[in-house]
């Protein structure tokens, strides 16, 4: 989990109910720029946001000492969320998607690595409406008020 993202209070239920599971990936989540609106990201959220995987620690095969750490391991298992889901699936341990929006990716935050844009600028600008009207209309339908998810994700006021 990144320091500037938020997770659903329902996520803890998953490993509690199935402690032997390989893990889960957040397929659906929200984008939040600190304002009054959030944009629902309906699929492939785990490809965009690092706060998107729940993995049993024993499956990571973390070495006992730093001397035994392979640079490739650090890059693929700990340094990027992009590879881990596919790497686990390749060795026969596929993760399951979380059945609900599981995380909020905070964009445009001053100390964040995410793009420094607001939701309205990045996803709902008039230029985007003219260039990609179907995508723009879809994004409008995916807008939610921050208040609708504030309690579940602990978003700031």
């Amino acid at each position: 989990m990144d320091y500037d993202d938020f997770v659903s209070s329902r996520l803890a239920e998953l490993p509690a109910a199935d402690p032997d599971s390989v893990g889960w990936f957040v397929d659906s989540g929200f984008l939040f720029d600190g304002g009054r609106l959030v944009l629902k990201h309906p699929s492939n959220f785990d490809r965009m946001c690092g706060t998107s995987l729940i993995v049993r620690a024993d499956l990571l095969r973390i070495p006992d000492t730093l001397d035994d750490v392979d640079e490739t391991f650090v890059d693929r298992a700990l340094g990027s969320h992009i590879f881990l889901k596919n790497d686990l699936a390749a060795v026969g341990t596929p993760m399951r998607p979380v059945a609900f929006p599981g995380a909020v990716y905070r964009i445009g935050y001053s100390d964040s690595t995410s793009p420094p844009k607001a939701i309205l600028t990045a996803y709902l600008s008039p230029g985007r409406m003219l260039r990609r009207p179907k995508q723009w209309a879809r994004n409008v339908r995916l807008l939610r008020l921050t208040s609708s998810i504030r309690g579940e994700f602990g978003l700031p006021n």
Side-chain angles (χ1 to χ4, degrees):
M1 176 174 179
D2 296 331
Y3 71 95
D4 60 340
D5 296 332
F6 305 89
V7 297
S8 169
S9 58
R10 298 187 288 164
L11 285 180
E13 298 167 7
L14 299 172
D18 190 2
D20 295 325
S21 175
V22 169
W24 298 263
F25 63 94
V26 176
D27 187 46
S28 173
F30 295 97
L31 305 178
F32 172 62
D33 63 7
R36 297 179 61 204
L37 296 172
V38 292
L39 181 69
K40 186 173 182 192
H41 193 275
S43 63
N44 297 318
F45 183 82
D46 60 300
R47 300 287 300 159
M48 176 193 328
C49 179
T51 303
S52 59
L53 304 176
I54 302 169
V55 182
R56 268 193 5 234
D58 63 308
L59 295 174
L60 295 176
R61 296 180 185 91
I62 298 173
D64 291 331
T65 68
L66 289 176
D67 295 333
D68 298 331
V69 174
D70 176 71
E71 194 173 320
T72 302
F73 167 79
V74 173
D75 287 345
R76 291 188 72 86
L78 304 177
S80 175
H81 66 284
I82 301 291
F83 304 109
L84 190 55
K85 182 175 84 171
N86 292 337
D87 287 352
L88 288 172
V91 295
T93 52
M95 301 170 74
R96 297 182 308 208
V98 172
F100 52 86
V104 174
Y105 183 29
R106 188 170 188 175
I107 62 171
Y109 187 59
S110 61
D111 293 333
S112 175
T113 59
S114 68
K117 292 186 177 181
I119 287 171
L120 294 176
T121 304
Y123 297 94
L124 297 168
S125 69
R128 189 176 191 97
M129 180 179 63
L130 295 172
R131 285 188 314 275
R132 301 180 77 192
K134 288 181 182 179
Q135 181 67 43
W136 185 87
R138 179 177 166 263
N139 287 343
V140 169
R141 288 191 304 273
L142 295 174
L143 282 175
R144 304 287 185 272
L145 289 173
T146 303
S147 59
S148 68
I149 66 166
R150 188 175 308 283
E152 179 179 347
F153 292 92
L155 297 179
N157 289 328

